[in-house]
């Protein structure tokens, strides 16, 4: 009998086709039109296109590392344009760049193999690939002979990044190369219709694009998954309408970002990260310190124009409702318009940013002349700021101005909420005390961004007076030590007995030994297929999945394993594999989930009998940043539904996604995996993704990396020094929103320390805040190898690793991918039976939800 849920059918499935078509229909909502003089969309009679740039054929569908997805095929930009009916007339230039890339990749692979041979250690090759991944080289200059006659020219700038390494503010990464600038100038002078497309997962410098005469349009096409070329061609030719808005501020210069010179390795110190910007992250900083960005947070143009007018702002109890009318005033194209609501809180004991996003809404697709009325509802209690001196969220007295507009730099005062006296909205306890003195910046002497007439608008604003009685103070209750359960029943209790009501969960926990529970609280990568597989592909039942929970109690206790697979832009699994008649996995006849450039030698398997081949191709959905740029929760839920469908089909229980760390700095190597610089937007996106996944039986999300995984160069051993206020208002807030709105089945902790304590071992973070304050009910797991063994550099680190025993004590239920050392550490280091029972209970609850 087969243990594999994958299909034996090699041909593309109906599910694959349907999912790619779904992505094609919604992905344009995440494309952001940055510039357009009427060049886009190209005319319907466009027949010939001169296509250039490193992303024309070598486009990036998503990021590197665990964020990759092994799809059956990827539609490139050139292919998408040709399939749309246009001729690409620059083939010789594209062929020449192909040769440059082929030679460069060959040299890179040869160097990796030399490292392995010289060291005698395959892991040396793995570490080289991880620390210094291959990147396509710079493009060649465009010559006069390459400039064939065409109806339009398109230049695609591609940038990739990934897990384990941060970006750099240099040419070929954050900056354009000299050849790219020369090529853009040449094309802008030659063609009347010239489009620059940005196939990037994060911010790049755009000065050369904005300052070159003849660049008719700049489209942030982003990284849309395995149908990226089709999605781009649709937008280029007007078959779909880009309606995206930025989820991160794009600065005029990299040096305009706070902490630009101290982020990650920029100052040479990757051991300690000092969050001296405090709450002033993203637009909160740019607004408050008077830094005008190139493109503000929430910015996005359209192929048409809109009139946006506020009809009414009202207050009922503590619920504020804004009604906004939107009309498509263009005469050619349909479109969707985003409306954002910000709040400016009065300064008091606690310093405030100029404004903070509190709500938003997006219209349906409006035809020329068509109108829509949006309703945005927010709670006044959500306007509160955290006052560390009072361990509380507080509404300080004064006027809270309601701002409504199309982006962070284009809002107007719509009303004001008057708070007559101080109101405590949440009474908490101070947690996660900062371990050093921070030099947090202050905007008290800065000149904020403003506009003509702002003060007059404030003076004339409609004032809504809050009744203090409308807000009830929430007082957090923190649990004490867990209770121990005992059971004297002689008959062995199973999980099925608990499900049927024959026994209670307490009965089962009372019977389990410390050894059984310690084994369950550690993943299975410690022998057999899981133990000999590559890091991050340790599942024994779904090849290519990241890992499993223990199945040692499956036979006698009915506790079946949970299968965990990476994301966040779809499932990363082995696309095809083979087994013999005894269901023995055959590595040499199977694909690898990672491209390791021949790093690992394939074993020679003693194959028993007939070989059976299986296929588990998955859909690469748009990267998280692109999904956030839709500002459309229905779209993001649909993306989650795609992933959930494939999880259900292929036997995956927990998707190790979505990633939702704050985009603190544009150089973070994994920003493409994350949604936004704003915690509200990030949290709502993660909640929508979770709802899409968890509508499927046995499937759940794993929101990550909890918390402050904001850099990659030393992600496993860096210490994030950050104030409690910044933690609560910025770096934890998105997780809180996601938990309260969608209750994901699991959370993954980050590698880093926070104020001197590993996130994986942090009781305040995992139990006091996440469970006691927010009400999280699911499983908390570690990131892979947090307890040691997979460091990418052979050096002594200032800060060491977390440990499995402290994981259990802090409420981190599951140590992944697991080792015998982790089990021993739990059993030998004073973990109480009650602490083990608490973690075991949450894992068993998850197994009940996923496997029964």
């Amino acid at each position: 009998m087969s243990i594999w849920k994958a299909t034996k059918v090699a041909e593309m499935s109906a599910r694959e086709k349907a999912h790619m078509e779904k992505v094609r229909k919604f992905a344009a909502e995440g494309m952001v039109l940055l510039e357009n003089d009427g060049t886009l969309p190209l005319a319907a009679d466009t027949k010939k296109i001169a296509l250039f740039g490193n992303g024309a054929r070598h486009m990036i569908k998503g990021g590197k590392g665990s964020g990759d997805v092994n799809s059956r095929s990827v539609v490139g930009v050139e292919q998408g344009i040709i399939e749309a009916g246009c001729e690409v007339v620059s083939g010789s230039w594209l062929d020449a760049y192909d040769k440059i890339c082929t030679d460069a990749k060959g040299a890179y692979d040869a160097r990796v193999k030399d490292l392995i041979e010289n060291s005698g250690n395959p892991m040396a090759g793995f570490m080289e690939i991880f620390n210094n991944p291959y990147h396509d080289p710079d493009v060649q200059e465009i010559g006069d002979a390459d400039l064939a006659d065409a109806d339009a020219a398109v230049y695609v700038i591609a940038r990739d990044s990934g897990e384990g390494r941060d970006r750099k503010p240099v040419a070929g990464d954050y900056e354009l190369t000299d050849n790219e600038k020369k090529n853009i100038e040449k094309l802008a002078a030659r063609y009347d219709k010239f489009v620059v497309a940005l196939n990037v997962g994060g911010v790049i410098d755009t000065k050369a694009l904005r300052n070159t005469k003849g660049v008719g349009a700049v489209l942030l096409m982003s990284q849309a998954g395995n149908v990226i070329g089709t999605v781009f061609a649709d937008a280029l030719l007007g078959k779909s309408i880009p309606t995206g808005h930025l989820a991160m501020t794009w600065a005029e210069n990299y040096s305009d970002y706070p902490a630009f010179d101290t982020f990650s390795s920029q100052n040479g110190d990757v051991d300690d990260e000092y969050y001296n910007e405090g709450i002033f992250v993203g637009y909160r900083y740019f607004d408050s310190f008077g830094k005008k960005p190139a493109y503000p947070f929430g910015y996005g143009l359209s192929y048409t124009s809109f009139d946006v007018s506020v009809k009414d702002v009202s207050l009922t109890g503590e619920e504020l409702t804004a009604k906004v009318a939107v009309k498509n005033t263009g005469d050619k194209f349909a479109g969707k318009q985003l409306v954002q609501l910000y709040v400016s809180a009065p300064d008091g004991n606690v310093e405030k940013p100029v404004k903070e996003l509190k709500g938003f809404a997006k219209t349906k697709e409006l035809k020329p002349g068509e109108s829509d009325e949006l309703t945005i509802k927010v709670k006044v209690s959500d306007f509160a700021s955290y006052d560390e001196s009072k361990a509380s969220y507080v509404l300080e007295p004064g006027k809270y101005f309601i701002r409504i507009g199309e982006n962070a730099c284009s809002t107007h005062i719509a009303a004001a909420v008057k708070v007559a006296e101080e109101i405590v909205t949440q009474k908490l306890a101070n947690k996660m005390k900062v371990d050093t003195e921070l030099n947090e910046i202050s905007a008290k002497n800065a000149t904020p961004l403003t506009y003509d007439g702002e003060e007059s608008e404030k003076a004339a604003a409609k004032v809504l007076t809050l009744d203090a009685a409308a807000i009830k103070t929430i007082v957090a209750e923190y649990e004490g030590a867990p209770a121990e359960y005992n059971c004297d029943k002689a008959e062995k209790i199973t999980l099925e007995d608990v499900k049927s009501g024959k026994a209670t969960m307490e009965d089962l926990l009372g019977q389990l030994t410390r050894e059984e529970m310690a084994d369950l609280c550690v993943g299975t990568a410690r022998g057999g297929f899981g133990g000999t597989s590559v890091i991050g592909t340790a599942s024994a039942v779904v090849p290519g999945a990241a890992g499993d929970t223990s199945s040692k109690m499956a036979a006698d206790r009915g506790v079946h394993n949970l299968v965990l697979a990476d994301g966040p832009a779809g499932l990363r699994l082995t696309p095809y594999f083979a087994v013999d008649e005894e269901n023995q996995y055959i590595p040499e006849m199977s694909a690898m989930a990672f491209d390791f450039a021949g790093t690992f030698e394939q074993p020679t398997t003693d194959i028993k009998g007939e070989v059976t081949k299986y296929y588990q191709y998955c859909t690469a959905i748009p990267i998280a940043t692109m999904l956030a740029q839709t500002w459309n929760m229905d779209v993001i839920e649909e993306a989650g539904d795609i992933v959930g469908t494939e999880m259900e089909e292929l036997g995956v229980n927990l998707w190790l996604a979505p990633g939702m760390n704050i985009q603190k700095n544009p150089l973070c190597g994994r920003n493409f995996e994350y949604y936004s610089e704003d915690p509200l937007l990030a949290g709502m996106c993660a909640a929508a993704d979770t709802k899409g996944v968890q509508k499927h039986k046995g499937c759940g999300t794993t929101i990550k990396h909890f918390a402050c995984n904001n850099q990659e160069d030393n992600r496993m051993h860096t210490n994030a020094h950050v104030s409690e206020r910044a933690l609560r208002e910025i770096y934890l807030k998105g997780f809180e929103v996601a938990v309260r709105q969608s209750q994901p089945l699991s959370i993954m902790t980050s590698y880093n320390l926070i104020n001197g304590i590993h996130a994986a071992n942090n009781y305040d973070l995992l139990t006091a805040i996440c469970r006691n304050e927010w009400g999280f009910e699911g499983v908390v797991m570690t990131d892979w190898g947090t307890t040691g063994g997979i460091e990418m550099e052979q050096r002594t680190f200032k800060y060491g690793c977390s440990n499995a025993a402290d994981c259990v004590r802090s409420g981190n239920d599951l140590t992944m991918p697991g080792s015998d050392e982790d089990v021993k550490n739990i059993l030998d280091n004073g973990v109480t039976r009650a602490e083990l029972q608490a973690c075991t209970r949450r894992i068993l609850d998850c197994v009940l939800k996923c496997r029964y």
Side-chain angles (χ1 to χ4, degrees), residues 34 98 111 200 287 394 439-440 461 476 544 642 645 681 699 740:
L34 298 176
D98 283 347
R111 182 165 59 83
V200 299
D287 286 349
V394 176
N439 297 311
E440 287 192 335
I642 287 173
T645 298
L681 179 57
C699 302
R740 292 186 186 278

Side-chain angles (χ1 to χ4, degrees), residues 539-551:
S539 172
V541 294
V542 179
D548 305 323
T549 60
S550 176
S551 58

Side-chain angles (χ1 to χ4, degrees), residues 720-741:
H721 307 279
V722 55
S723 70
E724 183 177 2
R725 184 186 178 197
L727 279 168
R728 288 188 178 277
E729 292 191 16
I730 304 294
Y731 300 101
L732 304 185
K733 180 60 70 174
F735 289 94
E736 179 182 2
V737 171
V739 167
R740 292 186 186 278
Q741 290 190 4

Side-chain angles (χ1 to χ4, degrees), residues 370-487:
E370 190 176 4
S371 299
D372 193 9
E373 184 172 276
L374 300 176
T375 299
I376 304 174
K377 293 180 180 289
V378 297
K379 291 183 177 181
V380 177
S381 57
D382 290 334
F383 302 172
S385 301
Y386 189 74
D387 187 337
E388 291 184 27
S389 69
K390 299 174 181 176
S392 299
Y393 276 96
V394 176
L395 282 170
E396 297 194 280
K399 288 183 179 179
Y400 290 73
F401 288 101
I402 310 302
R403 299 173 180 266
I404 294 175
E406 301 170 27
N407 61 67
C409 285
S410 180
T411 64
H412 290 276
I413 306 295
V417 175
K418 183 179 178 180
V419 176
E421 59 189 41
E422 181 177 283
I423 301 172
V424 174
T425 62
Q426 293 184 63
K427 182 64 178 174
L428 308 173
N430 288 134
K431 302 293 179 182
M432 303 185 68
K433 182 180 178 181
V434 68
D435 62 337
T436 188
E437 184 175 347
L438 294 173
N439 297 311
E440 287 192 335
I441 60 177
S442 170
K444 288 183 178 178
N445 296 319
T447 302
L449 292 179
T450 186
Y451 55 88
D452 292 341
E454 181 175 6
E455 293 306 314
S456 297
E457 288 180 359
K458 287 183 176 180
K462 174 184 177 182
V463 178
L464 306 167
T465 301
L466 176 72
D467 180 358
I471 295 180
K472 306 300 182 186
T473 302
I474 298 171
V475 179
E477 295 183 6
Y478 300 96
E479 66 185 52
E484 181 177 340
Y485 299 109
N486 294 289
C487 179

Side-chain angles (χ1 to χ4, degrees), residues 455-621:
E455 293 306 314
S456 297
E457 288 180 359
K458 287 183 176 180
K462 174 184 177 182
V463 178
L464 306 167
T465 301
L466 176 72
D467 180 358
I471 295 180
K472 306 300 182 186
T473 302
I474 298 171
V475 179
E477 295 183 6
Y478 300 96
E479 66 185 52
E484 181 177 340
Y485 299 109
N486 294 289
C487 179
D488 56 6
K489 293 182 179 180
E491 182 182 355
K492 181 168 281 192
I493 298 169
T494 69
L495 197 58
E496 178 60 37
D497 293 333
V498 175
K499 183 177 183 296
S500 67
K502 183 178 177 182
T504 67
M505 180 65 78
E506 291 80 6
D507 290 335
L508 176 56
L509 292 170
Q511 271 197 355
L512 294 178
T513 66
R514 291 182 77 248
E515 288 75 16
E516 284 177 308
M517 291 187 287
D519 184 83
L520 187 62
C521 289
V522 174
T524 58
R526 43 196 145 114
F529 170 64
T532 58
S533 65
V534 175
I535 294 168
T537 60
S539 172
V541 294
V542 179
D548 305 323
T549 60
S550 176
S551 58
K552 287 185 179 179
M553 290 188 285
D556 62 341
R557 297 283 190 182
V559 180
H560 300 288
N561 65 303
L562 298 171
V563 178
L564 293 64
D566 260 323
L571 296 178
R572 182 175 59 75
L573 303 174
T574 299
Y576 60 87
F577 62 94
V579 300
D580 64 17
E581 67 179 19
E582 295 183 357
N583 277 322
Q584 180 183 9
Y585 181 81
I586 309 172
E588 65 267 35
M589 295 182 66
S590 307
M592 296 192 77
F594 278 121
D595 174 14
F596 288 113
T599 298
F600 294 93
E601 290 186 14
Q602 294 283 26
T604 301
T605 305
D606 181 16
I607 300 172
K608 307 278 196 312
E610 185 177 350
V611 170
T612 302
K613 292 184 178 180
Y614 290 91
Y615 305 87
Q616 45 184 13
Y617 289 103
C618 298
T619 306
I621 61 174

Side-chain angles (χ1 to χ4, degrees), residues 142-221:
I142 297 172
D144 291 338
D146 298 314
L147 301 178
D149 289 339
D151 300 311
V154 175
Y155 196 91
V156 184
I157 298 172
R159 295 289 188 269
D160 64 358
S161 61
E163 184 176 8
R165 182 63 59 200
D166 288 314
R167 299 174 59 200
K168 306 297 179 188
V170 299
D173 193 344
Y174 187 86
E175 305 286 343
L176 301 189
T177 68
D178 287 341
N179 281 356
E180 286 175 327
K181 293 175 183 176
K182 291 175 184 177
N183 289 344
I184 288 167
E185 290 174 358
K186 193 155 197 167
L187 295 174
R190 171 66 174 80
Y191 297 97
D192 292 335
K193 298 286 187 181
F194 177 39
V195 178
V196 176
L198 305 181
N199 174 214
V200 299
V203 180
I204 66 169
D205 187 275
T206 59
K207 286 193 294 294
L209 309 181
R210 291 179 282 114
N211 296 332
T212 299
K213 184 179 179 181
V215 175
V218 179
L219 178 64
L220 174 56
M221 64 181 289

